[in-house]
């Protein structure tokens, strides 16, 4: 089964660490990163989709994706 997550955050090193952590846990980058200005906070925000192939099992929307 292929599972999907979208990581987002302020454009800072914490966001880069979040993506790096996901990659070390077996997630793979999916598509291009996004970058947008948040007019409320007046800061740039980043986003990156990641996917991971896990063993076949029933999908459970109550289960955290990081627990697959």
């Amino acid at each position: 089964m292929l599972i999907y997550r979208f990581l987002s955050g302020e454009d800072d090193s914490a966001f880069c660490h979040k993506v790096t952590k996901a990659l070390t846990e077996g997630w793979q980058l999916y598509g291009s990163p996004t970058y947008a200005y948040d007019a409320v906070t007046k800061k740039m925000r980043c986003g990156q989709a990641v996917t991971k192939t896990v063993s076949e099992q029933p999908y459970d929307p109550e289960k955290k994706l990081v627990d697959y």
Side-chain angles (χ1 to χ4, degrees):
M1 175 171 69
L2 186 65
I3 54 177
Y4 170 95
R5 289 172 61 195
F6 185 76
L7 307 173
S8 63
E10 189 176 316
D11 180 21
D12 59 13
S13 63
F15 176 76
C16 295
H17 286 285
K18 184 188 296 188
V19 174
T20 300
K21 182 176 185 295
L23 295 174
T24 65
E25 294 171 346
W27 295 85
Q28 295 183 346
L29 299 176
Y30 181 82
S32 299
T34 60
Y35 198 60
Y37 181 71
D38 182 339
V40 174
T41 63
K42 297 183 174 27
K43 296 182 180 182
M44 294 302 291
R45 296 195 51 86
C46 299
Q48 175 65 59
V50 292
T51 60
K52 184 178 185 180
T53 301
V54 297
S55 62
E56 288 301 320
Q57 54 192 292
Y59 173 69
D60 179 1
E62 300 298 319
K63 188 174 183 178
K64 290 183 180 181
L65 293 173
V66 295
D67 292 337
Y68 275 98

